[in-house]
Amino acid sequence: MTYQKRRTKVLLAKKNREFVKARMQTHFKFLKNEIHNVYQDIYDEVEEKNARLVHPVLDELSAFNFNMEELIEGLDKTFELFIVGMGNYGKSTLINALLEQEVADIDVRPKTWKVDVYDTTLSPNTCVIVYKNGETEYKSFDETRVFIEEEENKTKQSRKKVKSELKKVLQELKTKEEVKETEDYLRKEFLYQSSVVEVRWPIKTSYLSKKFMVVDTPGLVQENLSGDTIVSVQKYYHKADGVIWIFDATKLASKKSKDMVEELEKSLNKIGGKTDNIVAVLNRIDLVRNNGGEEAEQKVIKEANRVLGKYFDQFICISAKQGMAGILDSNGPLKRESGIETLVESIDKNFYENAQKIQLQSREVGFKQIKHQLMDDSSLIKKYLNRLRAEQREYGKRKDKIDDHFKTLKTDFQQELKHITSSFIESAEVRIDAKADVLFDLETDKERETYIKDYLFCLTELEPELEKFHKYWGSELENRMKQLIAEVVFTEYKHIDPNEINKMFEEISGLSKKNISYRVNTSQLNTDDLSLASGAGFAAIGGLIFGPLGLLLAGVTGFLGLNKGIAKFFKSGGLKRDLVEAINKHVGEIEKKLLMDLNDRREKAESNVNKELNQTFINLHGSYESSKAVEHSLDQLFEVFTKPMDYPDLITLIMKDKKTISMR
């Protein structure tokens, strides 16, 4: 290859990386700005005391915004070398050996929930604490140590207490759904979770730290509240430029080690990318050599290739403990025997010589991983959006259910009342037709009025029936209201009652109890405004049965008070008709008053149910109108993230570079 061609190839590669980097920066900044806008739009829609399920979404958006900021900064950062592996595999010792100083002490800096970055650019007594939302705080070295230890103690103590109480609660739970929701509730309400995601520690400059920023990751095998093992590496992998993956040479058959690597591969396969930025290390090789020499070491390497060879091209055998001893004692032969120098040479060869290329690849894979974490159905935001849509649909159905239910109730009590009054009037009309003649034989108005009331109208028969009807429907409306509330309210948890769990935790000190429950206890509902005893009751309505009757009969009895002969003349022409009209009018007034009372109670009951429906929806999502705005904002975010990253066209780059070269 001629000098000109080599130069062209180098320039093209350099130019291509520059354009890719520029496009990445533009794309990442655009997405970060979109996340910020969506966050602000949602924040403006919800009130702090409501929309309980939306606030974790805001926290997650804030975290994603910070992740995008890290990607942007990572394009210009010093190459970050992540040390990954299970706890007790010698990570801290390896970090100390690579940096040629004692900086990582597992007893001082617990590693269950953050990453530790060793930074030569910090002044000797300055540490930087980075929080989940991207905020930073500067503290002295000693202050940082104390603060981190306090955070770790809070986490451990709350975890211990919650796990202890969970064992008691589990005995009362019958289904997997109840167990899962109980764990979710306990984790959210009682478990202390530090918001610190990264601590940057000052270190002295060494050969490796001049070129790389070394990062210590948490122990990647944790336990959930039930004691089940959780293997996770993808939470931190998107931040890494390069990875040193440490295995214990004496425990290659460890299932957890293999599970951890398989979990990473599955994660990378989901996002369609895998980088060549991992160096595998077999630590504690000195123990292997002591037990079998070179032959034993070769067996270990062979076993490593058999178990993990599909994931790694090469394994470097080291003894971090020997390497650190060689450094501290200035023992060159011991340091060389430890394999640390071979590892540093491999890091130089694999990472430093191709740093920019690897960083761009890592940032691309990192972005795909962040995108996958956002878009996957298991992500907090996606799960919330799916739940929101489902409960918006359910909200409409429940509104219709309430409306239909109370319309049916109205029809039912109207029909029943009409049946009661119609039957009564039919009986009264029969009596009037058969016995009205007796009125002409009575001497006084008082006698005639008493006869009409007691023998023709028989209102004493109507009164108990109406009282029974009124009492039944007053109680029925109240009961139906309670039943409907229990059926239509929205609850955060479908299978458990947080109030019952809260009671079990009353004696636990040091936990952040919020005592919030959205499961409705219908026995505690305030239904005073629907109680028959609280209003006028039937007594007031029942008074209508006898009270105004005298006015209605005044004309009739006065009419009968004429000369008997004249009165009998009018018998066939109007008496029965007037009596029928009088009883119909009277019963109609009673019916109207009863319906007014029951409809008022029905409207109050319906209002109560709708109020509970609306309030419980607001408790979880904000108002229905706000929830639609939140849905729209999240839809916009997902739409933006589905668009592919726009990389520069290679032909355009070639033509530009040919012009550049020819001009020279």
Side-chain angles (χ1 to χ4, degrees), residues 49-66:
K49 63 181 180 180
N50 295 321
R52 178 173 171 79
L53 297 183
V54 181
H55 292 292
V57 172
L58 289 172
D59 293 340
E60 196 74 357
L61 286 171
S62 181
F64 273 114
N65 190 64
F66 177 52

Side-chain angles (χ1 to χ4, degrees), residues 163-266:
K163 285 181 69 175
S164 173
E165 291 304 313
L166 179 61
K167 289 181 181 179
K168 301 175 186 177
V169 177
L170 286 175
Q171 298 174 5
E172 306 297 325
L173 305 178
K174 299 177 181 178
T175 67
K176 291 181 179 179
E177 291 79 11
E178 289 177 343
V179 172
K180 184 180 183 304
E181 284 196 355
T182 300
E183 280 198 1
D184 290 343
Y185 175 73
L186 294 179
R187 186 180 298 108
K188 184 183 293 185
E189 302 296 336
F190 297 95
L191 188 65
Y192 180 81
Q193 299 182 66
S194 177
S195 59
V196 176
V197 295
E198 180 181 304
V199 179
R200 307 183 80 86
W201 304 91
I203 61 169
K204 298 175 183 177
T205 302
S206 64
Y207 173 80
L208 197 73
S209 65
K210 288 179 182 178
K211 305 175 181 180
F212 303 98
M213 196 91 74
V214 175
V215 180
D216 191 8
T217 59
L220 297 176
V221 177
Q222 306 290 335
E223 286 185 352
N224 62 17
L225 293 178
S226 296
D228 298 326
T229 298
I230 302 170
V231 181
S232 180
V233 65
Q234 60 193 33
K235 182 176 180 181
Y236 306 101
Y237 185 78
H238 73 274
K239 301 179 180 182
D241 293 316
V243 174
I244 304 298
W245 202 302
I246 186 171
F247 296 93
D248 188 334
T250 67
K251 298 178 181 179
L252 283 177
S254 170
K255 184 177 183 298
K256 290 180 180 178
S257 293
K258 189 176 179 182
D259 287 347
M260 190 161 56
V261 180
E262 288 179 347
E263 188 264 348
L264 174 63
E265 185 185 45
K266 289 177 183 177

Side-chain angles (χ1 to χ4, degrees), residues 27-81:
H27 189 63
F28 294 164
K29 287 178 180 178
F30 169 73
L31 291 176
K32 180 179 181 297
N33 187 58
E34 287 297 309
I35 294 173
H36 174 76
N37 291 339
V38 169
Y39 175 95
Q40 196 60 51
D41 289 343
I42 294 176
Y43 181 84
D44 291 341
E45 284 291 341
V46 298
E47 295 182 18
E48 186 175 346
K49 63 181 180 180
N50 295 321
R52 178 173 171 79
L53 297 183
V54 181
H55 292 292
V57 172
L58 289 172
D59 293 340
E60 196 74 357
L61 286 171
S62 181
F64 273 114
N65 190 64
F66 177 52
N67 288 340
M68 293 307 301
E69 180 65 31
E70 286 186 311
L71 282 182
I72 295 167
E73 292 178 354
L75 290 168
D76 293 314
K77 262 185 177 181
T78 301
F79 194 99
E80 291 194 332
L81 191 61

Side-chain angles (χ1 to χ4, degrees), residues 264-302:
L264 174 63
E265 185 185 45
K266 289 177 183 177
S267 173
L268 291 173
N269 287 338
K270 286 179 182 178
I271 62 177
K274 183 174 183 179
T275 62
D276 301 323
N277 68 336
I278 302 177
V279 172
V281 169
L282 302 179
N283 191 29
R284 295 176 178 165
I285 200 66
D286 55 318
L287 300 178
V288 174
R289 290 169 182 163
N290 291 341
N291 290 327
E294 181 67 23
E295 183 180 353
E297 181 177 344
Q298 291 305 313
K299 284 184 179 179
V300 166
I301 294 173
K302 184 177 179 180

Side-chain angles (χ1 to χ4, degrees), residues 520-531:
V520 174
N521 182 350
T522 55
S523 66
Q524 296 177 352
L525 288 171
N526 182 3
T527 57
D528 287 346
D529 55 348
L530 294 179
S531 173

Side-chain angles (χ1 to χ4, degrees), residues 275-419:
T275 62
D276 301 323
N277 68 336
I278 302 177
V279 172
V281 169
L282 302 179
N283 191 29
R284 295 176 178 165
I285 200 66
D286 55 318
L287 300 178
V288 174
R289 290 169 182 163
N290 291 341
N291 290 327
E294 181 67 23
E295 183 180 353
E297 181 177 344
Q298 291 305 313
K299 284 184 179 179
V300 166
I301 294 173
K302 184 177 179 180
E303 178 68 5
N305 279 292
R306 184 186 70 80
V307 177
L308 302 167
K310 63 180 288 189
Y311 307 111
F312 305 103
D313 296 329
Q314 179 187 8
F315 296 92
I316 298 174
C317 296
I318 68 163
S319 169
K321 185 177 181 180
Q322 278 187 342
M324 193 59 194
I327 292 168
L328 293 176
D329 297 338
S330 299
N331 188 333
L334 182 61
K335 182 180 177 183
R336 283 191 294 274
E337 182 185 344
S338 72
I340 290 296
E341 291 182 347
T342 303
L343 176 57
V344 172
E345 289 172 5
S346 178
I347 291 171
D348 270 337
K349 179 180 177 182
N350 286 284
F351 299 140
Y352 188 67
E353 294 174 8
N354 299 296
Q356 190 179 39
K357 177 184 175 182
I358 293 172
Q359 277 188 311
L360 291 176
Q361 289 177 338
S362 299
R363 293 291 83 78
E364 181 182 4
V365 172
F367 168 66
K368 288 180 179 178
Q369 193 163 22
I370 290 172
K371 179 179 176 180
H372 174 73
Q373 290 171 359
L374 173 67
M375 304 290 289
D376 189 72
D377 286 339
S378 64
S379 76
L380 184 149
I381 295 177
K382 199 63 175 287
K383 284 198 293 188
Y384 172 72
L385 183 58
N386 290 336
R387 174 172 181 168
L388 176 61
R389 285 172 172 157
E391 295 196 341
Q392 284 173 339
R393 291 191 295 270
E394 192 61 29
Y395 178 86
K397 291 179 183 178
R398 294 180 188 186
K399 290 283 284 185
D400 291 340
K401 178 179 181 178
I402 294 169
D403 184 61
D404 292 342
H405 195 86
F406 281 101
K407 281 182 179 177
T408 300
L409 284 175
K410 180 179 180 181
T411 300
D412 288 348
F413 67 64
Q414 283 179 332
Q415 289 178 346
E416 184 176 338
L417 180 59
K418 179 58 67 176
H419 175 73

Side-chain angles (χ1 to χ4, degrees), residues 356-599:
Q356 190 179 39
K357 177 184 175 182
I358 293 172
Q359 277 188 311
L360 291 176
Q361 289 177 338
S362 299
R363 293 291 83 78
E364 181 182 4
V365 172
F367 168 66
K368 288 180 179 178
Q369 193 163 22
I370 290 172
K371 179 179 176 180
H372 174 73
Q373 290 171 359
L374 173 67
M375 304 290 289
D376 189 72
D377 286 339
S378 64
S379 76
L380 184 149
I381 295 177
K382 199 63 175 287
K383 284 198 293 188
Y384 172 72
L385 183 58
N386 290 336
R387 174 172 181 168
L388 176 61
R389 285 172 172 157
E391 295 196 341
Q392 284 173 339
R393 291 191 295 270
E394 192 61 29
Y395 178 86
K397 291 179 183 178
R398 294 180 188 186
K399 290 283 284 185
D400 291 340
K401 178 179 181 178
I402 294 169
D403 184 61
D404 292 342
H405 195 86
F406 281 101
K407 281 182 179 177
T408 300
L409 284 175
K410 180 179 180 181
T411 300
D412 288 348
F413 67 64
Q414 283 179 332
Q415 289 178 346
E416 184 176 338
L417 180 59
K418 179 58 67 176
H419 175 73
I420 292 172
T421 55
S422 296
S423 296
F424 173 78
I425 287 173
E426 286 178 10
S427 298
E429 288 177 350
V430 170
R431 290 191 295 271
I432 289 170
D433 186 61
K435 300 179 181 180
D437 293 349
V438 175
L439 291 170
F440 295 101
D441 299 325
L442 300 176
E443 296 296 333
T444 67
D445 289 347
K446 185 174 179 58
E447 288 178 320
R448 287 190 285 270
E449 185 174 330
T450 300
Y451 183 80
I452 291 173
K453 288 180 180 179
D454 297 342
Y455 296 99
L456 297 184
F457 290 175
C458 297
L459 292 173
T460 53
E461 296 179 8
L462 179 62
E463 182 182 18
E465 197 166 357
L466 289 183
E467 185 173 8
K468 180 181 177 182
F469 162 83
H470 188 261
K471 182 178 181 180
Y472 169 81
W473 279 105
S475 176
E476 184 68 5
L477 285 170
E478 188 171 325
N479 291 335
R480 293 289 186 92
M481 179 198 72
K482 292 180 181 181
Q483 178 186 338
L484 264 182
I485 287 176
E487 291 175 3
V488 304
V489 294
F490 290 96
T491 58
E492 181 173 358
Y493 301 98
K494 310 294 183 184
H495 305 282
I496 63 170
D497 183 353
N499 272 336
E500 293 302 315
I501 298 175
N502 285 342
K503 290 177 184 177
M504 299 180 189
F505 278 71
E506 285 178 357
E507 302 303 320
I508 300 179
S509 60
L511 295 181
S512 175
K513 290 198 300 179
K514 299 180 183 178
N515 293 309
I516 297 173
S517 171
Y518 292 105
R519 181 174 291 279
V520 174
N521 182 350
T522 55
S523 66
Q524 296 177 352
L525 288 171
N526 182 3
T527 57
D528 287 346
D529 55 348
L530 294 179
S531 173
L532 297 180
S534 66
F538 184 77
I541 296 171
L544 294 170
I545 295 176
F546 302 107
L549 187 60
L551 296 175
L552 289 172
L553 297 180
V556 176
T557 55
F559 172 70
L560 291 169
L562 298 173
N563 179 276
K564 288 185 180 180
I566 298 175
K568 289 181 179 180
F569 176 79
F570 286 101
K571 174 183 176 183
S572 60
L575 177 61
K576 292 182 179 181
R577 184 178 66 250
D578 288 347
L579 288 170
V580 168
E581 182 180 341
I583 191 61
N584 270 279
K585 184 176 181 180
H586 185 59
V587 171
E589 286 297 320
I590 297 170
E591 185 178 340
K592 181 179 177 182
K593 291 290 185 181
L594 279 170
L595 288 178
M596 283 178 62
D597 182 73
L598 289 178
N599 275 318

Side-chain angles (χ1 to χ4, degrees), residues 99-154:
L99 295 175
E100 303 176 57
Q101 54 195 296
E102 291 182 304
V103 293
D105 186 339
I106 195 168
D107 294 328
V108 175
R109 301 181 187 90
K111 299 170 180 65
T112 57
W113 40 270
K114 63 175 175 55
V115 297
D116 293 300
V117 182
Y118 300 100
D119 191 346
T120 59
T121 66
L122 293 174
S123 58
N125 193 36
T126 301
C127 297
V128 182
I129 299 171
V130 183
Y131 295 92
K132 186 178 180 181
N133 61 3
E135 294 181 359
T136 58
E137 183 179 10
Y138 289 81
K139 290 180 180 287
S140 71
F141 190 88
D142 289 339
E143 287 174 338
T144 303
R145 287 177 57 178
V146 171
F147 173 72
I148 294 303
E149 286 172 4
E150 289 174 349
E151 289 292 285
E152 179 69 10
N153 286 334
K154 289 177 185 177

